[in-house]
Amino acid sequence: MANVKPFQAIRPASALAAQVAALPYDVYNRKEAEEKVKGHPLSFLNIDRPETQFASSVDMYDDRVYQKAREMLNSEIEDGIFIQDQKKCYYLYELTMDGRSQTGIAACVSIDDYLHGIVKKHEETREEKERDRIRHVDTCSAQTGPVFLIYKANPVLTYIIRNIKEGLPVYDFTADDGVRHTVWVIEDHLAIDAIQKAFATMDSLYIADGHHRAASALKVGLKRRRMHPGYDGTEAFNYFMAVLFPDDQMKIMDYNRLVRHLNGMTKEQFLQRISNEFVVEYVGDQAVSPEKKGVFGLYLENQWYRLTAKARIASGDVVDGLDVSVLQHYLLEPLLGIKDPRTDPDIEFVGGIRGLEELERRCHEDMSLAFSLHPTSIEELLAVADAGRLMPPKSTWFEPKLRSGLFIHKIEE
């Protein structure tokens, strides 16, 4: 059963929350992060991406970079930019975007639940990305960005959340991107007990976003266990910080593909080859946003086409039946030579939040063709995770993104 416990969050002083809160570290490349922190000294991105404090000639994985993150975090705690609650609490975190709200519970989740498969993943992690967050967490002795988890909607939690939201929040601000962030502290012991018991009835939690943060927290926790062989399981390093949302509030956006070349084919040859497995419909200059599963948009030489997978390539398998798998198995790999989308430099991925205009722009700039996809559904994600399987890379794009810096979980030195 899921072990989800309250914790003493280190969090911004109320008047500073809007200045501190930042999009996750992995949303930006180095140059974008450097630009983003200019004129924003309190942005948590300064700590999450500490290479921004150094000249570009300094390797972003230099030991000094991680030490700088630790120094900045400790300094801001000492200066009162961050405070720590005096007792263990849960926290409600509501995000509102385009009129749609989702409300999660910020808490700490046992790394043993991750080890034993109660916390289920749907993506593989990349070692180099894990190494970065392992060093960041280990050096700072703190988890600075929450893992985005999903649970199957629970009536007890729904009732508690509704009641808590009738009280006054500690944070309520709208970020530059128009997303509203509202946070309540749950310190009533009866509510805390009921929340912990409700999660304890669950046999599955699901990672929506933050696979690398979860894996890194696990590896740092296991390292600390080796350093403290007398540990009893209650130590903070045995847990990772998360915000848990009910599945009925989730929205997954499309995650689209850009490809650099036609693998030696002309446009006419490529379209002819596609027609073996897909029905190809010429659309023109109107962008194709696929309206259902099995339909794809293709942008090639300034024109859009609608591709509909033929019935013979449909699959009832939880992974092979995903649109991202169909595209990979029947088009990207056999026709365009994209064998491993994790490592192939000729494919890039664009989250749906950027719109189909971004696909067109990149094709005019440095790519040859683009594919728009129908979003993976939350039901598909849960089915893959429950089957103990993994999705192809870049299958899901969740919006809105959790902000970093609103909650920090300190672990023992």
Side-chain angles (χ1 to χ4, degrees):
M1 300 297 103
N3 182 0
V4 180
K5 71 167 195 171
F7 70 113
Q8 290 175 264
I10 295 172
R11 54 187 181 84
S14 293
L16 302 176
Q19 297 179 60
V20 170
L23 283 167
Y25 74 97
D26 52 359
V27 168
Y28 307 102
N29 60 36
R30 182 169 186 170
K31 184 177 180 181
E32 290 169 338
E34 289 171 352
E35 288 298 317
K36 197 68 180 176
V37 301
K38 287 180 180 177
H40 300 280
L42 295 186
S43 170
F44 200 75
L45 192 61
N46 290 283
I47 294 171
D48 244 359
R49 294 292 295 271
E51 75 273 15
T52 59
Q53 311 303 302
F54 294 84
S56 57
S57 58
V58 175
D59 189 330
M60 63 185 293
Y61 304 120
D62 190 292
D63 287 345
R64 293 171 294 171
V65 170
Y66 298 98
Q67 287 296 331
K68 185 66 174 178
R70 177 188 177 97
E71 292 167 10
M72 288 189 293
L73 176 60
N74 290 340
S75 175
E76 292 189 6
I77 292 172
E78 291 172 6
D79 291 344
I81 294 169
F82 290 97
I83 60 173
Q84 184 169 27
D85 290 303
Q86 295 304 301
K87 63 179 185 178
K88 293 180 178 180
C89 305
Y90 290 112
Y91 306 84
L92 283 192
Y93 180 12
E94 181 177 76
L95 300 96
T96 303
M97 176 181 174
D98 297 333
R100 185 184 68 85
S101 295
Q102 59 190 53
T103 307
I105 297 174
C108 279
V109 179
S110 170
I111 63 172
D112 289 310
D113 285 355
Y114 184 99
L115 277 172
H116 299 146
I118 292 174
V119 175
K120 298 179 177 179
K121 61 183 183 178
H122 67 266
E123 284 184 2
E124 197 59 86
T125 54
R126 294 174 61 174
E127 185 179 352
E128 70 274 13
K129 292 182 71 175
E130 274 189 39
R131 282 199 300 267
D132 168 56
R133 285 302 101 177
I134 288 170
R135 293 180 67 189
H136 195 279
V137 172
D138 203 20
T139 303
C140 292
S141 263
Q143 298 155 3
T144 58
V147 177
F148 183 162
L149 294 182
I150 298 172
Y151 63 89
K152 292 180 179 177
N154 177 283
V156 172
L157 294 180
T158 299
Y159 176 80
I160 293 171
I161 289 170
R162 186 185 306 121
N163 284 343
I164 295 296
K165 286 169 65 174
E166 292 179 356
L168 291 174
V170 291
Y171 309 139
D172 190 358
F173 64 91
T174 299
D176 292 344
D177 60 1
V179 178
R180 182 179 178 183
H181 302 265
T182 313
V183 174
W184 294 261
V185 178
I186 305 174
E187 50 188 351
D188 176 75
H189 72 278
L190 292 177
I192 288 174
D193 186 57
I195 291 170
Q196 194 157 9
K197 287 180 177 176
F199 279 120
T201 67
M202 301 179 189
D203 57 10
S204 298
L205 302 172
Y206 304 86
I207 299 177
D209 202 1
H211 284 80
H212 290 92
R213 289 188 286 276
S216 301
L218 167 68
K219 291 183 178 179
V220 173
L222 295 177
K223 176 183 177 182
R224 298 292 173 98
R225 285 180 174 183
R226 292 191 296 271
M227 293 169 59
H228 300 84
Y231 76 92
D232 61 14
T234 62
E235 299 86 356
F237 57 71
N238 294 290
Y239 293 82
F240 65 89
M241 184 173 63
V243 183
L244 303 96
F245 293 88
D247 62 338
D248 58 3
Q249 293 182 13
M250 294 297 93
K251 180 181 179 181
I252 302 177
M253 297 186 73
D254 45 310
Y255 214 152
N256 303 311
R257 274 76 170 133
L258 288 160
V259 181
R260 201 170 303 280
H261 56 71
L262 278 173
N263 203 24
M265 288 179 279
T266 65
K267 180 182 79 170
E268 291 73 21
Q269 290 170 330
F270 180 62
L271 292 174
Q272 180 60 43
R273 295 282 301 278
I274 290 176
S275 66
N276 292 330
E277 309 295 356
F278 299 85
V279 176
V280 180
E281 176 190 354
Y282 174 75
V283 176
D285 58 6
Q286 181 66 43
V288 176
S289 179
E291 68 279 8
K292 62 181 181 179
K293 183 177 171 65
V295 177
F296 306 82
L298 163 65
Y299 187 67
L300 175 61
E301 294 188 6
N302 302 322
Q303 300 295 316
W304 281 94
Y305 301 82
R306 180 178 286 104
L307 312 180
T308 303
K310 294 181 179 180
R312 68 170 177 267
I313 67 173
S315 171
D317 183 83
V318 293
V319 175
D320 292 341
L322 296 171
D323 277 1
V324 289
S325 297
V326 170
L327 187 69
Q328 176 64 32
H329 294 159
Y330 292 97
L331 202 159
L332 294 177
E333 181 173 352
L335 301 187
L336 296 175
I338 307 295
K339 297 189 186 320
D340 186 352
R342 295 180 190 281
T343 58
D344 197 309
D346 291 326
I347 186 169
E348 294 187 18
F349 306 89
V350 177
I353 192 67
R354 298 197 177 193
L356 300 183
E357 299 84 359
E358 177 68 7
L359 300 182
E360 295 180 354
R361 185 189 71 80
R362 289 294 304 279
C363 285
H364 297 156
E365 189 176 276
D366 62 341
M367 306 299 276
S368 291
L369 65 162
F371 298 95
S372 57
L373 285 81
H374 187 66
T376 302
S377 71
I378 190 68
E379 292 77 16
E380 288 175 320
L381 183 153
L382 300 184
V384 170
D386 281 336
R389 305 277 296 282
L390 299 175
M391 290 183 174
K394 311 297 184 183
S395 295
T396 58
W397 182 280
F398 285 89
E399 286 288 345
K401 299 290 186 187
L402 306 182
R403 269 17 182 208
S404 293
L406 291 179
F407 311 102
I408 298 167
H409 177 227
K410 270 284 192 179
I411 61 177
E412 285 80 357
E413 297 293 340

